[in-house]
Amino acid sequence: DAMVIQNPRYQVTQFGKPVTLSCSQTLNHNVMYWYQQKSSQAPKLLFHYYDKDFNNEADTPDNFQSRRPNTSFCFLDIRSPGLGDAAMYLCATSRTSGSYNEQFFGPGTRLTVL
Amino acid sequence: GQNIDQPTEMTATEGAIVQINCTYQTSGFNGLFWYQQHAGEAPTFLSYNVLDGLEEKGRFSSFLSRSKGYSYLLLKELQMKDSASYLCAVEDSNYQLIWGAGTKLIIKP
């Protein structure tokens, strides 16, 4: 089945220790998104890529970086995680960035910062 | 600013009907989505409305009034597995999704 895969599902890191989260998709979608979601809150868009064009949300901290080496893979790097970065990180894809922008989500990576 | 409002939590009884409301104020409108999210899992697509009116899909229906900036999700014949959060999201003029915080629906036997 075509899908969005995220690894790992659960990640524990120490305060200040860099961490990388990965996302891959077999849907061949042009657009990939990274969201941060904290408990009982709306998903917060961090970045999105249209093909290789990178779009950084204005309020995404510099501590968060992203890479998309090819259509299938996308990575989220957190350079120096703080306690406030503990959250669920969701990767999503969509076929286009135009209207009817249905997004398909991976299962998420739950990040714990000790 | 852009804003999506939905109730934080609702409770309903198994077998009953529940309506979850969503009001929005966004810069432009290119459609409204409803997603279901079970605890600890990713959101999954339920419905999309871009024209006024009711879209029915099995036990779930979604309604849109663009002039009122209002939508609702109607769930019929509630089952225990419907216990989840329901997220309303609006596609703005830049085709970005603006998300609500979700409505946690609790189903009681």
Side-chain angles (χ1 to χ4, degrees):
Chain A
D1 287 339
M3 57 178 59
V4 181
I5 302 162
Q6 290 188 245
N7 286 303
R9 293 291 308 278
Y10 300 90
Q11 175 73 59
V12 180
T13 190
Q14 293 181 331
F15 184 95
K17 185 174 181 182
V19 67
T20 294
L21 310 182
S22 73
C23 177
S24 63
Q25 55 130 340
T26 60
L27 296 161
N28 204 31
H29 282 172
N30 291 323
V31 192
M32 293 187 79
Y33 307 81
W34 279 108
Y35 287 92
Q36 179 194 64
Q37 188 180 26
K38 298 185 178 180
S39 182
S40 301
Q41 295 185 19
K44 178 182 183 299
L45 184 63
L46 298 174
F47 321 95
H48 75 278
Y49 286 87
Y50 189 93
D51 289 331
K52 290 217 165 195
D53 290 337
F54 175 71
N55 297 271
N56 190 24
E57 295 304 300
D59 58 352
T60 298
D62 292 339
N63 195 28
F64 291 84
Q65 303 286 318
S66 183
R67 297 169 281 138
R68 188 179 185 186
N70 55 52
T71 301
S72 301
F73 286 87
C74 197
F75 299 96
L76 173 63
D77 301 306
I78 309 176
R79 293 193 293 189
S80 182
L83 297 179
D85 297 327
M88 175 76 89
Y89 289 87
L90 296 165
C91 174
T93 72
S94 65
R95 189 172 55 84
T96 72
S97 61
S99 193
Y100 188 57
N101 187 15
E102 180 185 345
Q103 295 184 14
F104 295 80
F105 285 84
T109 296
R110 182 164 295 282
L111 178 67
T112 301
V113 182
L114 301 178
Chain B
Q2 310 211 82
N3 198 46
I4 309 281
D5 284 319
Q6 27 179 157
T8 304
E9 187 174 297
M10 298 182 70
T11 302
T13 305
E14 190 177 14
I17 299 173
V18 71
Q19 177 175 311
I20 302 174
N21 295 326
C22 170
T23 57
Y24 63 89
Q25 291 176 307
T26 56
S27 55
F29 179 85
N30 279 303
L32 186 145
F33 292 83
W34 283 96
Y35 280 80
Q36 180 191 59
Q37 186 175 26
H38 284 100
E41 298 182 11
T44 55
F45 169 80
L46 286 178
S47 68
Y48 172 75
N49 295 70
V50 67
L51 299 176
D52 290 351
L54 188 68
E55 295 279 342
E56 297 187 74
K57 190 187 288 188
R59 294 189 298 115
F60 293 6
S61 304
S62 56
F63 172 83
L64 175 67
S65 169
R66 287 171 297 170
S67 62
K68 294 181 179 177
Y70 168 69
S71 173
Y72 67 73
L73 181 69
L74 191 72
L75 291 76
K76 302 176 186 176
E77 301 170 15
L78 285 170
Q79 302 175 9
M80 298 303 292
K81 68 179 182 180
D82 298 328
S83 293
S85 287
Y86 292 86
L87 296 145
C88 173
V90 173
E91 199 171 60
D92 69 7
S93 57
N94 294 317
Y95 301 105
Q96 294 296 310
L97 278 185
I98 311 301
W99 293 85
T103 298
K104 183 179 180 181
L105 178 63
I106 300 167
I107 310 294
K108 296 187 173 179

